[in-house]
Amino acid sequence: MSTSERLIESTRELLWERGYVGTSPKAIQQRAGAGQGSMYHHFSGKPELALAAIRRSADRRTALAEEQFSLPGTAVERVAAYLRRERDVLKGCPIGRLTQDPEVVADPELRRPVAETFEHLRGRLTEVLAEGQAKGELDPALDPAATAATVVAVLQGGYVLARAADSTEPFEQAAEGAIALLAARAVA
């Protein structure tokens, strides 16, 4: 892995663990095994490096979601696969956690990939649910956009509940509850 890649990955991990303020250039350099000169050779400073790291996390979340959304099966099965996929629940969502970081939220450049990730997820879920309706799998009265927003909110809320309880159980309950509600709207 190149020095710039190590710096991005180290920043990505630290942002997930500590947030923006808690991620110092020194901590990034130590985790990456890179010196200050290397860091500033590749990036103008912490904001540029953080943006690259946030984009990397966003791209990974989007790709992981797309794996489940592209699976064969009904809309409910694909959404269920998305909600049930393996996650490090107790660490929280690497993108969702950034919404609680005042420095990220206050900076339009850092906030943009976070907002775009959630917009993309809601959009793809809306498409999957609309496809399910078009195929006659789901109740035609179901609002795909509102349901997609609900699924994303349940997922993010599940992370919060799990972290508060220091247990994956609340996350799993939230995901299974959302799946049951969707399944109840399936057309037999």
Side-chain angles (χ1 to χ4, degrees):
M1 191 182 296
S2 70
T3 301
S4 65
E5 285 297 309
R6 287 195 325 268
L7 288 164
I8 292 170
E9 276 304 303
S10 296
T11 304
R12 190 186 68 73
E13 292 167 1
L14 288 165
L15 287 172
W16 191 8
E17 295 166 11
R18 303 178 184 182
Y20 187 83
V21 173
T23 300
S24 68
K26 184 176 181 176
I28 294 167
Q29 293 160 21
Q30 286 176 339
R31 184 165 295 191
Q36 183 176 4
S38 292
M39 182 174 154
Y40 291 102
H41 170 75
H42 294 287
F43 301 95
S44 62
K46 179 180 164 183
E48 182 184 13
L49 181 52
L51 182 58
I54 292 169
R55 284 187 178 139
R56 173 78 49 87
S57 286
D59 290 345
R60 285 188 180 166
R61 296 300 106 195
T62 300
L64 285 169
E66 195 56 42
E67 287 177 21
Q68 279 78 45
F69 297 151
S70 299
L71 290 171
T74 67
V76 173
E77 290 167 342
R78 291 185 287 157
V79 173
Y82 169 66
L83 289 170
R84 289 177 176 147
R85 83 165 166 75
E86 190 173 326
R87 294 173 161 79
D88 194 346
V89 173
L90 295 180
K91 277 183 79 174
C93 174
I95 297 299
R97 287 192 64 185
L98 294 172
T99 65
Q100 299 302 311
D101 193 311
E103 297 292 323
V104 172
V105 173
D107 184 323
E109 287 298 310
L110 295 177
R111 187 179 65 246
R112 183 172 293 114
V114 173
E116 289 170 351
T117 300
F118 285 121
E119 184 178 325
H120 177 79
L121 287 173
R122 286 191 321 271
R124 278 299 285 134
L125 279 162
T126 299
E127 289 171 8
V128 168
L129 295 169
E131 288 170 20
Q133 278 183 317
K135 291 179 180 178
E137 300 168 0
L138 292 169
D139 182 346
L142 180 81
D143 180 338
T147 304
T150 301
V151 169
V152 172
V154 164
L155 185 70
Q156 292 303 310
Y159 280 120
V160 170
L161 295 174
R163 286 175 54 86
D166 194 28
S167 168
T168 61
E169 187 177 347
F171 179 92
E172 293 159 0
Q173 286 177 327
E176 292 305 318
I179 293 164
L181 290 172
L182 273 177
R185 299 299 298 267
V187 176

PDB file of all heavy atoms in Angstrom, residues 53-69:
ATOM      1  N   ALA A  53     -10.649  10.535   3.019  1.00  0.00           N
ATOM      2  CA  ALA A  53     -11.031   9.403   3.869  1.00  0.00           C
ATOM      3  C   ALA A  53     -12.550   9.254   3.946  1.00  0.00           C
ATOM      4  O   ALA A  53     -13.069   8.134   3.894  1.00  0.00           O
ATOM      5  CB  ALA A  53     -10.440   9.581   5.259  1.00  0.00           C
ATOM      6  N   ILE A  54     -13.261  10.359   4.068  1.00  0.00           N
ATOM      7  CA  ILE A  54     -14.727  10.308   4.119  1.00  0.00           C
ATOM      8  C   ILE A  54     -15.271   9.789   2.794  1.00  0.00           C
ATOM      9  O   ILE A  54     -16.177   8.946   2.773  1.00  0.00           O
ATOM     10  CB  ILE A  54     -15.323  11.694   4.474  1.00  0.00           C
ATOM     11  CG1 ILE A  54     -14.958  12.063   5.921  1.00  0.00           C
ATOM     12  CG2 ILE A  54     -16.841  11.696   4.284  1.00  0.00           C
ATOM     13  CD1 ILE A  54     -15.257  13.508   6.287  1.00  0.00           C
ATOM     14  N   ARG A  55     -14.703  10.251   1.697  1.00  0.00           N
ATOM     15  CA  ARG A  55     -15.137   9.752   0.387  1.00  0.00           C
ATOM     16  C   ARG A  55     -14.887   8.251   0.267  1.00  0.00           C
ATOM     17  O   ARG A  55     -15.703   7.516  -0.288  1.00  0.00           O
ATOM     18  CB  ARG A  55     -14.435  10.503  -0.737  1.00  0.00           C
ATOM     19  CG  ARG A  55     -14.990  11.878  -0.957  1.00  0.00           C
ATOM     20  CD  ARG A  55     -14.380  12.533  -2.179  1.00  0.00           C
ATOM     21  NE  ARG A  55     -14.976  13.832  -2.396  1.00  0.00           N
ATOM     22  CZ  ARG A  55     -14.302  14.906  -2.748  1.00  0.00           C
ATOM     23  NH1 ARG A  55     -12.992  14.847  -2.933  1.00  0.00           N
ATOM     24  NH2 ARG A  55     -14.923  16.054  -2.928  1.00  0.00           N
ATOM     25  N   ARG A  56     -13.752   7.791   0.779  1.00  0.00           N
ATOM     26  CA  ARG A  56     -13.435   6.360   0.737  1.00  0.00           C
ATOM     27  C   ARG A  56     -14.471   5.573   1.537  1.00  0.00           C
ATOM     28  O   ARG A  56     -14.971   4.554   1.081  1.00  0.00           O
ATOM     29  CB  ARG A  56     -12.029   6.136   1.297  1.00  0.00           C
ATOM     30  CG  ARG A  56     -11.599   4.697   1.485  1.00  0.00           C
ATOM     31  CD  ARG A  56     -11.173   3.995   0.214  1.00  0.00           C
ATOM     32  NE  ARG A  56     -10.228   4.731  -0.581  1.00  0.00           N
ATOM     33  CZ  ARG A  56      -8.903   4.697  -0.434  1.00  0.00           C
ATOM     34  NH1 ARG A  56      -8.355   3.948   0.495  1.00  0.00           N
ATOM     35  NH2 ARG A  56      -8.126   5.403  -1.243  1.00  0.00           N
ATOM     36  N   SER A  57     -14.792   6.044   2.734  1.00  0.00           N
ATOM     37  CA  SER A  57     -15.813   5.363   3.544  1.00  0.00           C
ATOM     38  C   SER A  57     -17.159   5.372   2.834  1.00  0.00           C
ATOM     39  O   SER A  57     -17.870   4.360   2.820  1.00  0.00           O
ATOM     40  CB  SER A  57     -15.954   6.045   4.909  1.00  0.00           C
ATOM     41  OG  SER A  57     -14.857   5.744   5.727  1.00  0.00           O
ATOM     42  N   ALA A  58     -17.503   6.495   2.242  1.00  0.00           N
ATOM     43  CA  ALA A  58     -18.773   6.613   1.525  1.00  0.00           C
ATOM     44  C   ALA A  58     -18.823   5.643   0.348  1.00  0.00           C
ATOM     45  O   ALA A  58     -19.830   4.949   0.153  1.00  0.00           O
ATOM     46  CB  ALA A  58     -18.972   8.048   1.054  1.00  0.00           C
ATOM     47  N   ASP A  59     -17.745   5.567  -0.404  1.00  0.00           N
ATOM     48  CA  ASP A  59     -17.693   4.649  -1.547  1.00  0.00           C
ATOM     49  C   ASP A  59     -17.837   3.201  -1.095  1.00  0.00           C
ATOM     50  O   ASP A  59     -18.523   2.408  -1.735  1.00  0.00           O
ATOM     51  CB  ASP A  59     -16.390   4.829  -2.327  1.00  0.00           C
ATOM     52  CG  ASP A  59     -16.317   6.147  -3.076  1.00  0.00           C
ATOM     53  OD1 ASP A  59     -17.369   6.818  -3.235  1.00  0.00           O
ATOM     54  OD2 ASP A  59     -15.198   6.516  -3.505  1.00  0.00           O
ATOM     55  N   ARG A  60     -17.213   2.858   0.010  1.00  0.00           N
ATOM     56  CA  ARG A  60     -17.311   1.482   0.531  1.00  0.00           C
ATOM     57  C   ARG A  60     -18.724   1.167   0.983  1.00  0.00           C
ATOM     58  O   ARG A  60     -19.243   0.080   0.730  1.00  0.00           O
ATOM     59  CB  ARG A  60     -16.331   1.276   1.678  1.00  0.00           C
ATOM     60  CG  ARG A  60     -14.920   1.142   1.191  1.00  0.00           C
ATOM     61  CD  ARG A  60     -13.987   0.758   2.293  1.00  0.00           C
ATOM     62  NE  ARG A  60     -12.638   0.645   1.759  1.00  0.00           N
ATOM     63  CZ  ARG A  60     -11.568   0.576   2.505  1.00  0.00           C
ATOM     64  NH1 ARG A  60     -11.676   0.590   3.823  1.00  0.00           N
ATOM     65  NH2 ARG A  60     -10.385   0.482   1.954  1.00  0.00           N
ATOM     66  N   ARG A  61     -19.375   2.094   1.693  1.00  0.00           N
ATOM     67  CA  ARG A  61     -20.749   1.858   2.150  1.00  0.00           C
ATOM     68  C   ARG A  61     -21.666   1.676   0.945  1.00  0.00           C
ATOM     69  O   ARG A  61     -22.543   0.809   0.945  1.00  0.00           O
ATOM     70  CB  ARG A  61     -21.277   3.019   2.999  1.00  0.00           C
ATOM     71  CG  ARG A  61     -20.580   3.281   4.300  1.00  0.00           C
ATOM     72  CD  ARG A  61     -20.607   2.126   5.254  1.00  0.00           C
ATOM     73  NE  ARG A  61     -19.281   1.549   5.250  1.00  0.00           N
ATOM     74  CZ  ARG A  61     -18.922   0.370   5.721  1.00  0.00           C
ATOM     75  NH1 ARG A  61     -19.780  -0.419   6.269  1.00  0.00           N
ATOM     76  NH2 ARG A  61     -17.694  -0.075   5.638  1.00  0.00           N
ATOM     77  N   THR A  62     -21.487   2.504  -0.065  1.00  0.00           N
ATOM     78  CA  THR A  62     -22.326   2.432  -1.262  1.00  0.00           C
ATOM     79  C   THR A  62     -22.119   1.104  -1.978  1.00  0.00           C
ATOM     80  O   THR A  62     -23.081   0.461  -2.396  1.00  0.00           O
ATOM     81  CB  THR A  62     -22.011   3.620  -2.191  1.00  0.00           C
ATOM     82  OG1 THR A  62     -22.274   4.837  -1.473  1.00  0.00           O
ATOM     83  CG2 THR A  62     -22.849   3.590  -3.442  1.00  0.00           C
ATOM     84  N   ALA A  63     -20.869   0.678  -2.116  1.00  0.00           N
ATOM     85  CA  ALA A  63     -20.569  -0.584  -2.794  1.00  0.00           C
ATOM     86  C   ALA A  63     -21.140  -1.775  -2.029  1.00  0.00           C
ATOM     87  O   ALA A  63     -21.697  -2.705  -2.638  1.00  0.00           O
ATOM     88  CB  ALA A  63     -19.062  -0.738  -2.978  1.00  0.00           C
ATOM     89  N   LEU A  64     -21.001  -1.758  -0.704  1.00  0.00           N
ATOM     90  CA  LEU A  64     -21.550  -2.850   0.104  1.00  0.00           C
ATOM     91  C   LEU A  64     -23.072  -2.926  -0.030  1.00  0.00           C
ATOM     92  O   LEU A  64     -23.640  -4.016  -0.143  1.00  0.00           O
ATOM     93  CB  LEU A  64     -21.161  -2.673   1.574  1.00  0.00           C
ATOM     94  CG  LEU A  64     -19.713  -3.000   1.916  1.00  0.00           C
ATOM     95  CD1 LEU A  64     -19.383  -2.533   3.336  1.00  0.00           C
ATOM     96  CD2 LEU A  64     -19.445  -4.486   1.776  1.00  0.00           C
ATOM     97  N   ALA A  65     -23.720  -1.783  -0.016  1.00  0.00           N
ATOM     98  CA  ALA A  65     -25.178  -1.762  -0.166  1.00  0.00           C
ATOM     99  C   ALA A  65     -25.570  -2.282  -1.548  1.00  0.00           C
ATOM    100  O   ALA A  65     -26.524  -3.065  -1.677  1.00  0.00           O
ATOM    101  CB  ALA A  65     -25.715  -0.351   0.051  1.00  0.00           C
ATOM    102  N   GLU A  66     -24.834  -1.875  -2.554  1.00  0.00           N
ATOM    103  CA  GLU A  66     -25.160  -2.285  -3.927  1.00  0.00           C
ATOM    104  C   GLU A  66     -25.067  -3.798  -4.098  1.00  0.00           C
ATOM    105  O   GLU A  66     -25.827  -4.378  -4.874  1.00  0.00           O
ATOM    106  CB  GLU A  66     -24.252  -1.569  -4.926  1.00  0.00           C
ATOM    107  CG  GLU A  66     -24.726  -1.655  -6.346  1.00  0.00           C
ATOM    108  CD  GLU A  66     -26.146  -1.136  -6.551  1.00  0.00           C
ATOM    109  OE1 GLU A  66     -26.505  -0.092  -5.966  1.00  0.00           O
ATOM    110  OE2 GLU A  66     -26.902  -1.780  -7.308  1.00  0.00           O
ATOM    111  N   GLU A  67     -24.166  -4.436  -3.348  1.00  0.00           N
ATOM    112  CA  GLU A  67     -24.072  -5.899  -3.418  1.00  0.00           C
ATOM    113  C   GLU A  67     -25.415  -6.543  -3.074  1.00  0.00           C
ATOM    114  O   GLU A  67     -25.854  -7.472  -3.748  1.00  0.00           O
ATOM    115  CB  GLU A  67     -22.990  -6.422  -2.467  1.00  0.00           C
ATOM    116  CG  GLU A  67     -21.586  -6.159  -2.933  1.00  0.00           C
ATOM    117  CD  GLU A  67     -20.538  -6.630  -1.937  1.00  0.00           C
ATOM    118  OE1 GLU A  67     -20.848  -7.509  -1.084  1.00  0.00           O
ATOM    119  OE2 GLU A  67     -19.408  -6.131  -2.002  1.00  0.00           O
ATOM    120  N   GLN A  68     -26.063  -6.054  -2.011  1.00  0.00           N
ATOM    121  CA  GLN A  68     -27.339  -6.630  -1.616  1.00  0.00           C
ATOM    122  C   GLN A  68     -28.480  -6.185  -2.531  1.00  0.00           C
ATOM    123  O   GLN A  68     -29.348  -6.969  -2.867  1.00  0.00           O
ATOM    124  CB  GLN A  68     -27.687  -6.268  -0.162  1.00  0.00           C
ATOM    125  CG  GLN A  68     -26.990  -7.134   0.859  1.00  0.00           C
ATOM    126  CD  GLN A  68     -25.538  -6.720   1.051  1.00  0.00           C
ATOM    127  OE1 GLN A  68     -25.238  -5.547   1.169  1.00  0.00           O
ATOM    128  NE2 GLN A  68     -24.656  -7.683   1.071  1.00  0.00           N
ATOM    129  N   PHE A  69     -28.449  -4.936  -2.954  1.00  0.00           N
ATOM    130  CA  PHE A  69     -29.525  -4.431  -3.800  1.00  0.00           C
ATOM    131  C   PHE A  69     -29.528  -5.106  -5.170  1.00  0.00           C
ATOM    132  O   PHE A  69     -30.550  -5.160  -5.834  1.00  0.00           O
ATOM    133  CB  PHE A  69     -29.422  -2.916  -3.980  1.00  0.00           C
ATOM    134  CG  PHE A  69     -29.567  -2.129  -2.707  1.00  0.00           C
ATOM    135  CD1 PHE A  69     -28.944  -0.904  -2.576  1.00  0.00           C
ATOM    136  CD2 PHE A  69     -30.313  -2.591  -1.637  1.00  0.00           C
ATOM    137  CE1 PHE A  69     -29.063  -0.156  -1.414  1.00  0.00           C
ATOM    138  CE2 PHE A  69     -30.440  -1.862  -0.468  1.00  0.00           C
ATOM    139  CZ  PHE A  69     -29.814  -0.643  -0.358  1.00  0.00           C
TER     140      PHE A  69
END
